[in-house]
Amino acid sequence: MPYGMKALSCDPARVRGMSERLIVSHYENNYGGAVRRLNVIEEQLAGLDYASAPGFVLNGLKREQLIAMNSMILHELFFDGLGDESEPGGGLQKALARDFGSYARWRSEFVATGKALAGGSGWVLLCWSHRDRKLVNQWASDHCHSLAASTPILALDMYEHSYHIDFGAKAGSYVDAFMGAVRWSGVERRWTEIGAAR
Amino acid sequence: MPYGMKALSCDPARVRGMSERLIVSHYENNYGGAVRRLNVIEEQLAGLDYASAPGFVLNGLKREQLIAMNSMILHELFFDGLGDESEPGGGLQKALARDFGSYARWRSEFVATGKALAGGSGWVLLCWSHRDRKLVNQWASDHCHSLAASTPILALDMYEHSYHIDFGAKAGSYVDAFMGAVRWSGVERRWTEIGAAR
Amino acid sequence: MPYGMKALSCDPARVRGMSERLIVSHYENNYGGAVRRLNVIEEQLAGLDYASAPGFVLNGLKREQLIAMNSMILHELFFDGLGDESEPGGGLQKALARDFGSYARWRSEFVATGKALAGGSGWVLLCWSHRDRKLVNQWASDHCHSLAASTPILALDMYEHSYHIDFGAKAGSYVDAFMGAVRWSGVERRWTEIGAAR
Amino acid sequence: MPYGMKALSCDPARVRGMSERLIVSHYENNYGGAVRRLNVIEEQLAGLDYASAPGFVLNGLKREQLIAMNSMILHELFFDGLGDESEPGGGLQKALARDFGSYARWRSEFVATGKALAGGSGWVLLCWSHRDRKLVNQWASDHCHSLAASTPILALDMYEHSYHIDFGAKAGSYVDAFMGAVRWSGVERRWTEIGAAR
């Protein structure tokens, strides 16, 4: 069963502080590229005789499958988080305060973790950890990095394709723009759906 | 809130094909080490002024936090999967056949992915992908690698500490021993709890 | 002894097929950033009591040191390789043919390895392997990846900061532009200096 | 041209503090495995049409090639460093003092970097950096990590296969045993050969 591209869940012409050209290029080339690549990888894996395939072929293909899958999943979450300036609702804001000390402290950690990835690649993910039933800010330096057994509810893409067209090397300005464009209603919906709000 | 070690969920004296010495060393040193390390990392992060901390300090600490967290979470799952020889029940076996072509095909992929990691480090995880509502065998070459937005239900540890005491470099024999020691009742319980069985 | 930035060894206004803005941003922000970061990391390491420092602090700092050092070294090599269209001289061209089958085959591997890294991060390095006294095209997906005991003589930067300002997501066009801008005289000088030409 | 295994350059029956079984298993399975794997990877790469091969196939194979090559090169260096207790000669000891503050400080950093990698995988390498003409202790968490444009002269293998058979999880005891078994005459020979002694 091939993987399909989801429609762009934000309006690329109305993401506060980012150009339509940047969003559309990001969606078509980087997200679309991951989905298309994943389908070809899946085909190759489907044709493999696992019992006789050399280990290095498996290591290569399974790693590339993980990169493409996570790139697909995280990009969908990233676009879904974009819109106009907003604030998290009371319930989620309380949960952030409970798990990080204060909402401001959460924001400060999330922003700084993004800025620390400037000039390289990676993600910052606000995740719900099912083991500890709490919110965690997760750092990633490539698509493969992910908190085990967690549900990410907000994703900040720090790959340079997320900002260079608009911001050049000014990764810090991009992180600030992102924080001013988070569509918190979607974040809360996800947080509620996984039962984390209880 | 400090992280606590969970009690060893398998009986180390009765894991089919592995010695008590191996299991106890693995639990105390590698799992225990991860939990103890995580608590010290959390303390350092709690004391950090995010707005002024250099990026490389953040990158270092947040990466080490992710390594320790995932090591903790995946080791708990690993030990919980160990016991005596068993087979997956009908519902899970059907789901494996649906998502991998056949139960034998799933097993062949899982085993081969483990053996491909011989001599290095990593994990093989049977995961439920929430995006696609299907089971996926996920490859990892270190603790940080994890399928985003997934719930792992079976974990095969391929770090060499999992087998060298008993098997030396014979990673293949260890993988076979693991497959003959999977306590499938626990795997099914997790699979049911996350609503994947529906 | 602090690390110093080397002067830009190409003329940014005259790199065939790339804009001055791209080269200058790359030099000042990404190369300069690595050198500045390295100096702060070295200070922190100098102040460390190794016998009592927690392992995760060491792992974090030493990894960041390696990232910054390699970023510094490889960026210097990258800029030194840029100029106007040229071809490798007879001696180096023969060595490429000897070690890759033909000069065209070398070029095809080097170009394809670069294009495979599109949308992510990494390097392609033409290296002299001292163990086998031959030229090798080395793949890297981050700054830390490097062929042990080798001397790189040509570096293609595949981090997205190398091309997004000029080329957007068209990484392939950037790789082609790079191949049309290699200043081979510098590559040959390095190859001769390390005694590989003998 | 296939890669060949080099003869074991230490006497496995006379490495101070390590068993013959450990050294022989390490040499035959881990070093030998890398060389054998590399030859098969090279065959696959030789048969590839680079212009049409999918990017993920290239990324997979070139990464596995780098892992196997570095594993081969670093294992040869590791075995060549083993023997009986010794101390570096005056020239090298002075160079270590010059570049690290004191010989004791060098040793303290090298040992602590090794112990920090306990329970995982990696290497600690004493390298000569050709850019800065100085000695550097380089950290690695997998075979791919290497200081660019450097010559390693002493290698401490921190993969768990290096110690688990003899030491179980006691990585610290293994690092101490290694430090008491370094054959410094070989380290100095390499240091002299690369012209670093001048």
Side-chain angles (χ1 to χ4, degrees), chain C residues 35-47:
Chain C
V35 177
R36 289 186 291 273
R37 208 165 68 239
L38 178 57
N39 282 318
V40 190
I41 294 167
E42 293 285 332
E43 263 182 53
Q44 291 225 353
L45 283 166

Side-chain angles (χ1 to χ4, degrees), chain B residues 30-108:
Chain B
N30 302 99
Y31 169 62
V35 177
R36 289 187 291 273
R37 208 164 68 239
L38 178 57
N39 282 317
V40 189
I41 294 168
E42 293 285 333
E43 263 182 53
Q44 290 225 355
L45 284 167
L48 219 61
D49 176 11
Y50 283 105
S52 67
F56 64 84
V57 168
L58 261 178
N59 284 328
L61 283 173
K62 292 294 291 180
R63 177 172 177 266
E64 294 294 321
Q65 179 195 36
L66 180 61
I67 293 173
M69 268 195 186
N70 277 7
S71 177
M72 173 182 74
I73 291 166
L74 296 176
H75 273 112
E76 289 170 359
L77 185 59
F78 169 73
F79 294 122
D80 204 55
L82 290 178
D84 206 344
E85 194 158 27
S86 65
E87 289 289 328
L92 181 51
Q93 205 163 133
K94 267 183 206 160
L96 288 166
R98 179 195 63 208
D99 295 336
F100 293 90
S102 69
Y103 170 57
R105 174 82 181 167
W106 166 76
R107 202 175 164 105
S108 154

Side-chain angles (χ1 to χ4, degrees), chain A residues 28-153:
Chain A
E28 289 183 353
N29 295 301
N30 301 100
Y31 168 62
V35 177
R36 288 186 292 271
R37 208 164 68 239
L38 178 57
N39 282 319
V40 190
I41 295 167
E42 293 285 333
E43 262 182 52
Q44 291 224 353
L45 284 167
L48 220 60
D49 176 11
Y50 282 105
S52 65
F56 64 85
V57 168
L58 261 178
N59 284 328
L61 283 174
K62 292 295 291 181
R63 177 174 179 265
E64 293 295 320
Q65 179 195 36
L66 180 61
I67 294 173
M69 268 194 186
N70 276 9
S71 177
M72 174 182 74
I73 291 166
L74 296 176
H75 274 112
E76 289 170 359
L77 185 59
F78 169 73
F79 293 121
D80 203 55
L82 290 178
D84 205 345
E85 193 158 27
S86 65
E87 289 288 328
L92 180 51
Q93 205 162 134
K94 268 183 204 158
L96 289 165
R98 179 194 65 207
D99 294 337
F100 292 90
S102 69
Y103 170 58
R105 175 82 182 166
W106 165 76
R107 201 174 165 105
S108 156
E109 177 180 334
F110 192 89
V111 164
T113 306
K115 292 183 179 176
L117 291 164
S121 57
W123 294 88
V124 189
L125 305 172
L126 173 60
C127 291
W128 178 256
S129 165
H130 291 276
R131 178 191 191 273
D132 293 295
R133 295 195 57 76
K134 67 173 188 183
L135 293 158
V136 172
N137 282 331
Q138 183 228 307
W139 171 98
S141 72
D142 70 33
H143 295 309
C144 289
H145 291 168
S146 174
L147 179 60
S150 78
T151 305
I153 60 174

Side-chain angles (χ1 to χ4, degrees), chain B residues 21 25 29-30 37 63-64 118-121 139 141-143 145 159-162 164-169, chain D residues 21 25 29-30 37 63-64 118-121 139 141-143 145 159-162 164-169:
Chain B
R21 186 181 155 229
S25 168
N29 295 301
N30 302 99
R37 208 164 68 239
R63 177 172 177 266
E64 294 294 321
S121 56
W139 171 99
S141 72
D142 71 32
H143 295 311
H145 291 169
Y159 276 71
E160 293 169 305
H161 57 241
S162 313
H164 255 260
I165 287 175
D166 278 11
F167 299 91
Chain D
R21 186 181 154 228
S25 167
N29 295 301
N30 301 101
R37 209 164 67 239
R63 177 173 178 263
E64 294 294 321
S121 57
W139 171 98
S141 72
D142 70 34
H143 296 309
H145 290 169
Y159 277 71
E160 293 169 306
H161 56 241
S162 313
H164 255 258
I165 286 175
D166 278 11
F167 299 90

Side-chain angles (χ1 to χ4, degrees), chain D:
Chain D
M1 187 183 66
Y3 292 88
M5 278 178 76
K6 295 197 177 170
L8 185 51
S9 54
C10 63
D11 178 345
R14 290 164 181 261
V15 174
R16 189 187 168 91
M18 302 188 202
S19 73
E20 185 167 3
R21 186 181 154 228
L22 175 66
I23 302 291
V24 170
S25 167
H26 196 171
Y27 173 77
E28 289 183 354
N29 295 301
N30 301 101
Y31 169 62
V35 178
R36 289 186 292 272
R37 209 164 67 239
L38 178 57
N39 281 319
V40 190
I41 294 167
E42 292 286 332
E43 263 181 52
Q44 290 224 354
L45 283 167
L48 219 61
D49 177 11
Y50 284 105
S52 66
F56 64 85
V57 168
L58 262 178
N59 285 329
L61 283 172
K62 292 295 290 181
R63 177 173 178 263
E64 294 294 321
Q65 179 195 36
L66 180 61
I67 293 173
M69 268 194 185
N70 277 8
S71 177
M72 173 181 74
I73 291 165
L74 297 175
H75 274 112
E76 288 170 0
L77 186 60
F78 169 74
F79 293 120
D80 204 54
L82 291 177
D84 206 344
E85 193 157 28
S86 66
E87 289 288 328
L92 181 50
Q93 205 163 134
K94 267 183 206 160
L96 288 165
R98 179 196 64 208
D99 295 337
F100 293 91
S102 70
Y103 170 57
R105 174 82 182 166
W106 166 76
R107 202 176 165 103
S108 156
E109 177 181 333
F110 192 89
V111 164
T113 305
K115 293 184 179 176
L117 291 164
S121 57
W123 292 89
V124 189
L125 304 172
L126 173 60
C127 291
W128 178 257
S129 165
H130 292 275
R131 179 192 190 272
D132 294 295
R133 295 195 58 75
K134 68 174 188 182
L135 293 158
V136 172
N137 282 332
Q138 183 228 307
W139 171 98
S141 72
D142 70 34
H143 296 309
C144 290
H145 290 169
S146 174
L147 180 60
S150 78
T151 305
I153 60 174
L154 177 66
L156 165 57
D157 192 344
M158 288 307 300
Y159 277 71
E160 293 169 306
H161 56 241
S162 313
Y163 56 87
H164 255 258
I165 286 175
D166 278 11
F167 299 90
K170 289 180 184 145
S173 305
Y174 159 69
V175 172
D176 294 338
F178 176 85
M179 296 308 288
V182 174
R183 194 169 65 78
W184 279 100
S185 57
V187 182
E188 280 174 73
R189 185 178 39 74
R190 280 185 287 280
W191 182 64
T192 306
E193 279 172 8
I194 55 174
R198 286 192 301 264

Side-chain angles (χ1 to χ4, degrees), chain B residues 14-34:
Chain B
R14 289 166 182 259
V15 174
R16 187 187 170 91
M18 302 187 201
S19 74
E20 184 166 6
R21 186 181 155 229
L22 176 66
I23 302 291
V24 169
S25 168
H26 196 171
Y27 172 77
E28 288 183 354
N29 295 301
N30 302 99
Y31 169 62

